[in-house]
Amino acid sequence: MRRNKFSLLFTLLVVLTSVSYATDQYAVTFERNVPVKMRDGVTLRADIYRPKADGQFPVLLERTPYDKNYGFSFGLEAAARGYVAVVQDVRGRYTSEGEWYTFKHESDDGFDTVEWAAALPYSNGKVGMWGGSYVGATQMLAAIAHPPHLAGICPVVTASNYHDNWTYQGGAFEQWFNESWTSGLAQNTLSREVTNETNATKGMSRLPLTSYPLFNFPDVRTSDLTPAFAPYFLDWLAHPAYDDYWKRWSIQEHYADINVPALTIAAWYDIFQGGSLRNYLGLKSHGGNEVARRGQHLIVTIGGHAGDGRKVGDVDFGPSAAQYNENEITLNWYDYLFKGVQNEFAQKPVEIFVMGLNQWRQEDDWPLARARGTKYFLHSQGSANSLGGNGTLSADAPHSESSDHYVYDPSNPVPTTGGPLCCDAEHLQPGPRDQRPVEARNDVLVYSAPAFSRDVEVTGPVSVEFYASSSAVDTDFTAKLVDVGTDGFAQNLTEGIIRARYRDSQENADLLKPGQVYKFTIDLWSTSNVFLKGHALRLEISSSNFPRFDRNLNTAEQPELGQQFVSATNIIYHDAQHPSALILPVVPSE
């Protein structure tokens, strides 16, 4: 979400109903709050930026819940480059009529708006879409409705499935994102309904999660909590499993309905990284026609929701990182797609930022065919607890070894320290951060490999396969991949979680039998990082990452409804019968 103040240019822009700007290519004219009637009679409103010239031009459309006024910068750039840029408030947001409910209306409203835009007198009939986060969702949901005049999309840092990788991950509730994002959105809903202010940042420690204060008020007649400004929040909590509520909106279920080329932009530290990469792969394999399947392009940058520029979190990624310009990339994409310009998109379809080397690199595809899945097995003498323990990683499979155990207490969870976070960096800082304070805890198992004697590149999907038991009927397991520098700085690269009851299926919960050993897999998504000579590889395993994820209460209650909790003793096994391992895509040196 963008929180910057409007510039003087924008202030002038909104005051006037039609203005012109001299540019290198076209002067720009602007129309504000143009009504667009949807099929059910609801009116949405859009701002239109277009060349002040005769003729017809391709249309670029953004449908946003974040206030269309923020689209002025791209709108001016696009119109100056010979596009009609349409920026629309989605249903129930800012200037548009109707009720705001996440995802519900975006396919129908997207279809209707695309076809309306294609019929504008200054449109040449080709419509492309752009934007990130939920604005990426409005593109994907419009595309699965396959409006005839939609000819391309550019979804930036967005998800493939609004259950897993938006609201939940590995069965755990994305508490920080869900509550901070909906709090921000609720401010506009609040302003449409009442005038008093509500402090949305309080209450994250309350149980059950359904009591989060901004979204509930007591019914004076029954004392029951009723939804206020974000009714979808309670619906999300009511559907922890991947059921029909989620499947109707899942992009992954509808790749075959998307018939257009896409430029997918992902980021290593972005909260939707996993879904963005799945979208690229899914459309390339299962798109609705050859144009869609052959027309997929991918760019992976660094921060996404975690931040832009050369410095993300505590790490300066160098001058090459500063070259990323999302507006320019988007316009170049549509120059290639709609105008036939032979620019960078006429070359290889994938471009990634390789951390460590801090360089951009073009690739033939994703994942890299030359990467080799390499197992680093977990070892210890039975005490991998904390950075001061004896946990190690090596390519040698374990034989007879003692297991590691720790106590997970939901009243004292492992604190979130950086990582793929959104949407309140003021209170919880995202991106790469030093993990040593986390690694000092006894409820964090730390496994480290010896320092590398040469540069080693890891690029591609990362996972952990391990064997574990618990004293509880349900618990969580977390994992984090870390690059340890020569100065000891422990840089988090990527992370994941699995809720034990969803270890085999996101659709059907299955509680644990206390003391029984189970095999688990944690998807850590992907990374591209060169572990420089002298750096070391590290894996953290624990059972909490709060408040990024909600605390598992270790009981049979649904965590989102429960108020009571117990501590759990969790055991990680690594022996000949239980060869727990970190699996990395290692790129051979040339």
Side-chain angles (χ1 to χ4, degrees):
M1 292 176 61
R2 291 158 290 184
R3 301 180 184 273
N4 55 302
K5 299 294 184 182
F6 298 147
S7 67
L8 176 61
L9 175 61
F10 173 71
T11 303
L12 295 172
L13 192 64
V14 298
V15 169
L16 304 175
T17 58
S18 180
V19 296
S20 296
Y21 294 93
T23 67
D24 292 339
Q25 298 176 45
Y26 290 96
V28 178
T29 187
F30 169 72
E31 300 173 73
R32 182 162 174 77
N33 291 327
V34 179
V36 188
K37 189 78 72 174
M38 299 294 102
R39 65 188 67 182
D40 61 356
V42 170
T43 296
L44 310 186
R45 291 182 174 82
D47 294 343
I48 301 177
Y49 307 78
R50 58 186 176 87
K52 192 174 184 180
D54 294 334
Q56 295 179 317
F57 305 89
V59 177
L60 302 184
L61 168 66
E62 179 181 74
R63 305 191 61 254
T64 177
Y66 303 131
D67 188 348
K68 60 181 171 57
N69 290 328
Y70 285 107
F72 79 96
S73 176
F74 181 86
L76 291 174
E77 289 184 51
R81 287 265 286 260
Y83 295 95
V84 176
V86 177
V87 189
Q88 181 187 70
D89 289 326
V90 300
R91 181 180 296 241
R93 302 293 294 166
Y94 296 91
T95 61
S96 289
E97 297 175 356
E99 174 189 345
W100 161 245
Y101 189 101
T102 50
F103 314 120
K104 184 176 182 180
H105 301 285
E106 307 306 355
S107 285
D108 287 348
D109 289 355
F111 182 105
D112 292 351
T113 303
V114 166
E115 294 307 297
W116 166 84
L120 291 169
Y122 32 79
S123 165
N124 70 359
K126 284 186 177 180
V127 179
M129 300 181 76
W130 93 89
S133 193
Y134 191 90
V135 184
T138 65
Q139 296 180 64
M140 303 300 288
L141 290 164
I144 66 175
H146 38 81
H149 290 90
L150 183 65
I153 55 177
C154 183
V156 180
V157 293
T158 196
S160 62
N161 176 331
Y162 306 117
H163 172 263
D164 187 52
N165 187 218
W166 186 285
T167 309
Y168 292 85
Q169 183 179 331
F173 190 67
E174 287 264 14
Q175 185 172 351
W176 179 259
F177 167 67
N178 294 334
E179 292 185 357
S180 60
W181 185 69
T182 48
S183 294
L185 291 170
Q187 291 171 9
N188 173 246
T189 304
L190 178 68
S191 69
R192 293 162 69 103
E193 301 292 338
V194 296
T195 58
N196 64 296
E197 294 292 332
T198 300
N199 187 342
T201 63
K202 294 181 179 179
M204 282 196 174
S205 294
R206 294 189 181 186
L207 293 172
L209 296 183
T210 49
S211 68
Y212 187 56
L214 181 61
F215 308 135
N216 299 275
F217 291 102
D219 187 310
V220 294
R221 296 166 298 176
T222 66
S223 297
D224 291 337
L225 293 174
T226 56
F229 304 118
Y232 49 87
F233 181 86
L234 294 185
D235 291 340
W236 292 355
L237 286 168
H239 294 272
Y242 183 51
D243 58 16
D244 289 341
Y245 174 85
W246 300 106
K247 290 179 182 179
R248 57 182 164 166
W249 297 319
S250 173
I251 304 305
Q252 291 173 217
E253 306 279 345
H254 295 282
Y255 287 136
D257 292 317
I258 296 179
N259 299 322
V260 297
L263 168 60
T264 296
I265 299 179
W268 301 127
Y269 287 96
D270 185 68
I271 192 171
F272 303 134
Q273 184 228 97
S276 294
L277 295 177
R278 280 196 292 270
N279 281 336
Y280 169 76
L281 291 169
L283 289 171
K284 186 167 65 75
S285 298
H286 305 295
N289 55 32
E290 192 68 11
V291 170
R293 291 188 293 272
R294 293 174 62 88
Q296 299 305 312
H297 290 252
L298 174 68
I299 294 175
V300 190
T301 184
I302 307 165
H305 286 91
D308 296 322
R310 62 179 284 171
K311 187 174 183 184
V312 180
D314 289 334
V315 177
D316 187 333
F317 289 96
S320 293
Q323 296 172 6
Y324 176 77
N325 183 320
E326 188 174 305
N327 283 2
E328 184 69 17
I329 289 170
T330 302
L331 290 170
N332 288 350
W333 165 244
Y334 283 112
D335 283 350
Y336 165 76
L337 196 62
F338 287 174
K339 299 181 179 181
V341 175
Q342 295 302 290
N343 53 27
E344 65 267 34
F345 295 106
Q347 302 172 28
K348 294 184 177 182
V350 174
E351 186 172 17
I352 61 175
F353 189 88
V354 183
M355 298 182 290
L357 293 182
N358 294 340
Q359 297 174 356
W360 289 98
R361 191 172 70 203
Q362 290 191 329
E363 295 288 349
D364 294 321
D365 203 358
W366 176 268
L368 278 58
R370 64 186 182 278
R372 297 290 177 261
T374 303
K375 288 188 175 182
Y376 286 84
F377 293 95
L378 280 60
H379 298 274
S380 82
Q381 299 170 26
S383 183
N385 308 75
S386 85
L387 190 57
N390 51 36
T392 62
L393 293 171
S394 82
D396 297 326
H399 297 292
S400 177
E401 293 187 8
S402 299
S403 57
D404 294 305
H405 71 274
Y406 59 93
V407 176
Y408 160 49
D409 178 0
S411 70
N412 183 26
V414 177
T416 297
T417 304
L421 300 172
C422 177
C423 303
D424 185 357
E426 180 181 352
H427 293 97
L428 193 60
Q429 296 178 330
R433 306 281 172 180
D434 192 349
Q435 301 301 306
R436 282 176 290 184
V438 170
E439 294 168 354
R441 295 174 58 112
N442 279 330
D443 56 354
V444 178
L445 303 181
V446 179
Y447 301 92
S448 301
F452 289 111
S453 59
R454 59 178 179 82
D455 292 356
V456 175
E457 180 179 340
V458 173
T459 295
V462 178
S463 63
V464 181
E465 293 181 353
F466 64 101
Y467 298 83
S469 66
S470 178
S471 64
V473 294
D474 189 36
T475 194
D476 288 349
F477 291 101
T478 64
K480 189 180 298 178
L481 178 66
V482 177
D483 179 345
V484 184
T486 54
D487 59 354
F489 181 86
Q491 177 184 339
N492 51 307
L493 294 174
T494 190
E495 61 191 46
I497 191 169
I498 187 69
R499 181 143 293 173
R501 67 173 64 195
Y502 293 114
R503 64 194 177 278
D504 296 323
S505 169
Q506 293 286 304
E507 299 184 43
N508 300 301
D510 183 18
L511 295 176
L512 300 174
K513 293 180 180 178
Q516 181 170 321
V517 180
Y518 297 88
K519 183 178 181 180
F520 295 87
T521 300
I522 300 181
D523 180 2
L524 274 67
W525 296 351
S526 296
T527 193
S528 180
N529 182 71
V530 173
F531 290 80
L532 300 175
K533 179 180 177 180
H535 284 224
L537 170 68
R538 180 172 293 165
L539 173 68
E540 299 172 14
I541 291 182
S542 191
S543 287
S544 52
N545 182 350
F546 179 79
R548 183 186 173 192
F549 301 110
D550 70 316
R551 296 162 290 173
N552 194 314
L553 305 183
N554 299 325
T555 67
E557 289 185 279
Q558 287 286 3
E560 67 277 0
L561 300 175
Q563 301 182 65
Q564 304 299 319
F565 55 81
V566 298
S567 293
T569 298
N570 294 336
I571 302 176
I572 304 298
Y573 300 85
H574 42 82
D575 52 42
Q577 290 74 40
H578 308 102
S580 298
L582 169 66
I583 304 174
L584 297 179
V586 176
V587 179
S589 57
E590 296 179 357

